[in-house]
Amino acid sequence: MDEAIDESEGHLLDRFEAVVRSVPDAVALDHLGEHLAYRELDVRANRLAHQLTEHGVGPEDVVAVCLGRGPDAITALLAVLKAGAAYLPLDPALPPQRLAHMIQDAGTRLVLTASTHTPALPTGDLPVLHHDKHTPDRHPATPPDVPRDRDALAYVVYTSGTTGVPKGIAATWHTLHHVIRFAVDEEGPAADEPLVCPQFASLGFDVSLLEIFTTLLRGGRLLLIPEVLRHDPDGLLDLLADRRATRMYLPPAMLDQLAVARADRPVDLALTRLCLSGEALSLHPGIRELLSALPGVVLENQYGPSETHHATSALLTGDPGTWPT
């Protein structure tokens, strides 16, 4: 399944739920070899969304999510959005003072986390909801009846703070819709191979939303990368080959590391599209050698959307040996 997103199709959550109805038993999430189907992902998100509404969460509220990487984080993202609230991702590895600033500055209504992260979270007097992968069955499997307004706040992410205090960037559903539509239109029609996309980016960067939504809205498989493999190019290379990943968003520095790893130990990769962002891209000989081993690969050099609330890109197709440096 691979359909373009159109303005007439309405809210992105409606689109996701349409995919669930269309391919309920298809694999949505692949995490360490364990698979979660679209139907089960949707049910878990709906039940957690009802828990959030029971705690008073509603439209325009900000819910901080601190769960690390894995299926629970994707479930929580969908649940927050289904509850009508805005999603604020928190990395549990960040210093407590930075987490405290983000929680306070964003006007957080509730923190959704796991008990393992609670001791290090500076939540103050905010309510905290602990979540594991088994949301109680007493909650409805259908989504809460809350408005879905594309002008409403969808998420808040923070800059790195390298030039001072980290700044929150708030985006509406309308903004997210256009960014996702841009990405899908750039990718074009479905390929012969099923879409498999790693979720590699930090959840604190909105590139992660591109990975998640451009995959789930097309009925693809989201390959969740464990934190340890985000810093292990050899292990990551093996996983990409084993799971036959077809599209990947990553920074140029990681592409460089993958090129070095593959030069030492060639593996067969199925990648047909690479989306690079976050740093300046240099197509040195090592990277060109990797790209030349990927028949028909398309490389997209992107900028945004955090920095500008929109994205721009340069598309490279054809023989990688002819691409500019």
Side-chain angles (χ1 to χ4, degrees):
M1 176 178 180
D2 193 338
E3 300 176 0
I5 301 168
D6 188 82
E7 286 283 346
S8 63
E9 293 176 329
H11 200 281
L12 293 183
L13 285 178
D14 296 330
R15 288 284 299 119
F16 169 71
E17 290 162 359
V19 172
V20 173
R21 293 190 295 270
S22 177
V23 289
D25 298 318
V27 174
L29 306 182
D30 179 348
H31 181 241
L32 301 176
E34 295 185 7
H35 297 158
L36 191 64
Y38 273 86
R39 182 186 357 240
E40 183 60 23
L41 173 61
D42 191 50
V43 167
R44 290 185 184 183
N46 288 336
R47 287 180 169 153
L48 180 55
H50 281 282
Q51 279 191 289
L52 291 169
T53 59
E54 284 182 358
H55 282 75
V57 169
E60 297 294 330
D61 286 334
V62 175
V63 174
V65 177
C66 186
L67 287 169
R69 303 177 68 83
D72 284 354
I74 308 301
T75 302
L77 161 64
L78 292 170
V80 169
L81 300 177
K82 282 171 176 274
Y87 159 78
L88 168 64
L90 299 179
D91 184 344
L94 289 174
Q97 61 270 26
R98 179 179 169 91
L99 293 173
H101 169 75
M102 294 164 66
I103 290 171
Q104 181 178 8
D105 186 65
T108 302
R109 170 71 176 77
L110 176 143
V111 177
L112 179 59
T113 187
S115 56
T116 53
H117 301 315
T118 305
L121 269 178
T123 56
D125 296 329
L126 283 175
V128 176
L129 176 60
H130 292 104
H131 170 62
D132 62 26
K133 64 182 179 181
H134 300 296
T135 305
D137 289 345
R138 67 180 179 84
H139 294 96
T142 54
D145 184 17
V146 297
R148 291 180 175 177
D149 182 358
R150 287 203 295 185
D151 291 325
L153 189 63
Y155 67 87
V156 181
V157 294
Y158 276 76
T159 63
S160 62
T162 54
T163 58
V165 178
K167 298 175 178 63
I169 299 167
T172 65
W173 276 104
H174 204 83
T175 297
L176 182 59
H177 174 97
H178 284 296
V179 171
I180 300 300
R181 186 183 183 195
F182 168 86
V184 171
D185 286 349
E186 283 289 288
E187 193 160 348
D192 293 334
E193 295 294 324
L195 173 62
V196 179
C197 180
Q199 199 286 288
F200 177 83
S202 167
L203 294 172
F205 293 96
D206 40 13
V207 171
S208 65
L209 295 171
L210 281 171
E211 295 170 329
I212 293 166
F213 279 104
T214 59
T215 303
L216 297 183
L217 292 182
R218 301 177 84 159
R221 180 179 301 200
L222 193 65
L223 177 61
L224 305 182
I225 306 298
E227 185 63 32
V228 64
L229 289 188
R230 295 183 69 244
H231 310 283
D232 176 8
D234 289 291
L236 179 60
L237 192 69
D238 287 337
L239 184 65
L240 297 177
D242 181 67
R243 297 298 200 277
R244 309 307 293 161
T246 56
R247 181 239 282 147
M248 190 172 187
Y249 293 83
L250 72 169
M254 178 50 70
L255 180 63
D256 187 43
Q257 292 181 49
L258 289 176
V260 171
R262 191 185 180 282
D264 292 338
R265 187 174 44 86
V267 297
D268 179 32
L269 296 172
L271 290 165
T272 57
R273 191 175 194 91
L274 294 170
C275 303
L276 285 295
S277 65
E279 304 161 351
L281 173 62
S282 174
L283 296 180
H284 60 69
I287 288 182
R288 287 180 187 273
E289 182 178 347
L290 169 63
L291 296 173
S292 296
L294 305 175
V297 69
V298 174
L299 186 146
E300 187 172 358
N301 192 20
Q302 297 183 338
Y303 177 83
S306 291
E307 299 90 339
T308 58
H309 265 190
H310 67 268
T312 59
S313 72
L315 204 63
L316 299 176
T317 61
D319 179 6
T322 66
W323 294 351
T325 57

